[in-house]
């Protein structure tokens, strides 16, 4: 959608309006069907806003600061996920159901106003240099024979050579999904996001079964997993300074022993709650290190594909929006399948089997990343926004 509008403002505001509509449905819902409709509209609006929002972010900051920008975006997302339930719970308890949605109405209105104020960064086409003017001699005017326009010779004011352009648009999704670098980045995002979301369906029942803990007590453990995401800008700085390969591989490497040690926690473990908190913090640190730079890896792969293609191969706006749409689809897939996968494996193989399998999956993507994510080129890191 974003690539078929002359400006990204129209679909972005459309997504925000859909978000407002879904929030109104939630606030006024009195039936399950209304809640279902609200959730569907909310999912559609989230897909639009996330895709175009990250596209605008990438186009605005350029390659040199992309890691930090992704880090701040992920930090904001994590802060919202942490603060939202707390604020919503307080408003529900003291003010009532409808008042829970009042902050959402205000934030959406502010977002629409801010979006209207954004000046989009246009892609600049580099004109082919024209030859210097030459003195012309006066010659008798002779009517030349008529030649078809496509076979006409260039005039003295036109260049003899033109930049190559594609005569037929190429398949954007085929180009993306046949790029090893992009495909490995998507796979890694899916695996890590599935593992993170898998804790939603397994951590509470495991701690209740093994240690007879109440749900409210176990819920505090999720803070240990989420708070390290607030330091995502640090991983973004590392990605900008040393290339995304370093923080990605470091984060996945930290996840392997942390998940392996989680499998050892059982009823017989001494100080199990303290050890669980420490290991979950390390898992959160691993996710904070790897997730943002993985997005940078995927976008770098997109720039690489575009640099190796002819102008116009993938349309006037290139591959960026569609690649970010694929990333958001993968994130949503991990959010949907992660809890189902984790719950199924825990029932079949237990907590220990689940965490060992998660560690093995991280080993797999660590090997793939080590092979596929090459060192960042100096000229690529120094190139600010030329590909966007």
């Amino acid at each position: 959608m974003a690539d078929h509008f002359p400006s990204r403002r129209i679909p972005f505001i459309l997504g925000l309006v859909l978000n407002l509509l879904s929030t109104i449905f939630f606030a006024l819902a009195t039936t399950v069907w209304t809640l279902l409709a609200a959730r569907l509209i909310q999912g559609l609006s989230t897909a639009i806003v996330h895709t175009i929002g990250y596209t605008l972010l990438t186009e605005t900051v350029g390659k040199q600061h992309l890691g930090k920008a992704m880090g701040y975006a992920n930090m904001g997302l994590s802060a919202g996920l942490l603060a939202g339930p707390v604020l919503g719970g307080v408003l529900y308890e003291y003010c009532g159901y409808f008042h829970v949605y009042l902050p959402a109405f205000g934030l959406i209105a502010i977002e629409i106003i801010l979006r209207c104020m954004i000046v989009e960064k246009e892609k600049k086409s580099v004109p082919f240099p024209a030859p210097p003017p030459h003195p012309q001699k006066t010659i008798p005017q002779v009517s030349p024979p008529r030649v078809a326009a496509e076979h006409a010779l260039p005039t003295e004011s036109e260049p003899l050579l033109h930049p190559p352009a594609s005569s037929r648009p190429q398949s954007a999704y085929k180009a993306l999904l046949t790029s090893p670098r992009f495909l490995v980045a998507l796979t890694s995002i899916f695996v890590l996001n599935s593992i993170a979301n898998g804790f939603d369906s397994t951590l509470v029942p495991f701690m209740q079964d093994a240690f007879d803990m109440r749900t409210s007590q176990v819920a505090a453990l999720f803070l240990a997993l989420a708070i390290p995401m607030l330091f995502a800008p640090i991983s973004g700085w590392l990605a900008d300074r040393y290339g995304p390969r370093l923080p990605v591989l470091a984060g996945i490497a930290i996840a392997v022993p942390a998940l392996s040690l989680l499998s050892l926690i059982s009823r017989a473990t001494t100080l199990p709650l303290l050890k669980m908190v420490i290991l979950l913090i390390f898992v959160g640190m691993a996710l904070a290190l790897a997730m943002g730079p993985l997005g940078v890896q995927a976008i770098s792969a997109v720039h690489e594909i575009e640099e190796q293609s002819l102008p116009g191969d993938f349309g006037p706006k290139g591959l960026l929006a569609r690649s970010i749409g694929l990333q958001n689809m993968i994130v949503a897939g991990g959010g949907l399948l992660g809890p189902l996968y984790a719950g199924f494996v825990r029932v079949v193989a237990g907590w220990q089997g689940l965490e060992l399998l998660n560690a093995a999956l991280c080993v797999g993507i660590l090997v793939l990343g080590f092979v596929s994510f090459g060192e960042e080129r100096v000229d690529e890191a120094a190139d600010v926004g030329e590909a966007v």
Side-chain angles (χ1 to χ4, degrees), residues 296-321:
V296 178
Q297 276 284 0
I299 292 170
S300 297
V302 171
H303 293 157
E304 194 174 77
I305 295 170
E306 290 181 333
E307 287 168 2
Q308 296 172 357
S309 304
L310 296 175
D313 265 354
F314 308 109
K317 295 193 175 182
L319 291 169
L320 186 59

Side-chain angles (χ1 to χ4, degrees), residues 352-372:
Q352 183 179 23
L354 171 64
E355 297 310 318
L356 288 176
L357 179 56
N358 285 340
L361 289 172
C362 286
V363 171
I365 60 174
L366 181 62
V367 173
L368 288 174
F370 186 82
V371 173
S372 302

Side-chain angles (χ1 to χ4, degrees), residues 7-373:
S7 168
R8 303 203 193 277
R9 176 177 298 170
I10 297 173
F12 194 91
I13 292 179
L14 173 62
L16 292 174
V17 170
L18 289 175
N19 198 354
L20 177 63
L21 181 63
S22 71
T23 306
I24 293 172
F25 276 26
F26 273 121
L28 302 178
T30 56
T31 66
V32 174
W33 295 109
T34 308
L35 289 173
L36 179 61
R39 193 69 183 95
L40 290 173
I41 297 172
Q42 185 188 55
L44 177 61
S45 68
T46 301
I48 296 173
V49 171
H50 274 215
T51 299
I52 302 176
Y54 276 99
T55 302
L56 285 170
L57 179 72
T58 304
E59 291 178 336
T60 301
V61 302
K63 293 180 185 178
Q64 202 172 36
H65 305 290
L66 183 56
K68 290 193 289 291
M70 288 286 189
Y72 281 115
N74 290 335
M75 182 185 71
L77 185 61
S78 300
L81 292 174
L82 285 173
V86 176
L87 179 60
V90 171
L91 289 173
Y92 180 78
E93 183 174 351
Y94 292 100
C95 302
Y97 176 78
F98 180 79
H99 294 80
V100 171
Y101 298 95
L102 293 181
F105 291 137
L107 289 173
I108 294 171
I110 292 172
E111 179 64 20
I112 292 175
I113 294 171
L114 292 176
R115 179 61 194 94
C116 292
M117 295 170 62
I118 292 178
V119 178
E120 292 188 31
K121 201 172 188 179
E122 297 291 338
K123 284 189 175 183
K124 295 181 180 181
S125 58
V126 181
F128 195 84
H134 297 285
Q136 298 182 0
K137 296 180 180 180
T138 305
I139 56 174
Q141 298 294 324
V142 179
S143 299
R146 292 185 178 179
V147 183
E150 60 270 19
H151 300 293
L153 295 174
T155 65
E156 288 192 15
S157 62
E158 296 177 347
L160 294 175
L161 299 175
H162 296 273
S166 177
S167 59
R168 184 179 61 187
Q170 304 297 316
S171 171
Y173 294 111
K174 181 180 178 181
L176 290 170
L177 297 177
T178 53
S179 165
R181 188 180 181 187
F182 185 79
L183 204 55
V184 171
L186 284 193
T187 303
S188 302
I189 291 171
F190 177 76
V191 169
L192 293 179
N193 201 48
S194 297
I195 291 173
N197 284 281
F199 286 108
D200 293 346
S201 63
T202 56
L203 186 58
V204 172
F206 169 70
M207 296 301 287
Q208 287 177 332
D209 294 345
F211 306 105
D212 301 319
M213 294 180 65
R214 297 193 305 271
T215 303
S216 58
Q217 292 175 315
V218 181
L221 293 175
F222 286 97
L223 293 176
L225 193 64
I227 287 177
M229 288 299 296
L230 298 177
F231 300 95
I234 297 176
S235 70
W237 177 83
L238 289 172
D240 291 336
R241 181 68 178 83
Y242 302 104
R245 185 176 191 262
L246 174 64
V248 167
L249 298 183
I252 300 173
I254 291 172
V256 173
L259 292 168
S260 301
L261 291 173
L262 275 176
S263 70
L264 301 179
I265 293 181
S266 65
R267 187 179 290 271
T269 305
T270 56
L271 300 175
L273 186 59
L274 176 61
K275 292 178 180 178
M276 178 68 80
V277 168
I278 293 173
L279 290 174
L280 287 176
I281 288 174
F282 273 100
V283 173
M285 288 172 53
L287 295 173
L289 265 175
M291 290 298 285
L294 276 171
V296 178
Q297 276 284 0
I299 292 170
S300 297
V302 171
H303 293 157
E304 194 174 77
I305 295 170
E306 290 181 333
E307 287 168 2
Q308 296 172 357
S309 304
L310 296 175
D313 265 354
F314 308 109
K317 295 193 175 182
L319 291 169
L320 186 59
R322 280 166 284 189
S323 70
I324 293 177
L326 283 175
Q327 291 182 57
N328 285 329
M329 183 186 73
I330 288 296
V331 170
L336 174 65
L337 298 178
L340 298 176
Y341 142 79
F344 175 78
V345 175
R346 179 179 173 270
V347 169
V348 173
W351 172 264
Q352 183 179 23
L354 171 64
E355 297 310 318
L356 288 176
L357 179 56
N358 285 340
L361 289 172
C362 286
V363 171
I365 60 174
L366 181 62
V367 173
L368 288 174
F370 186 82
V371 173
S372 302
F373 300 153

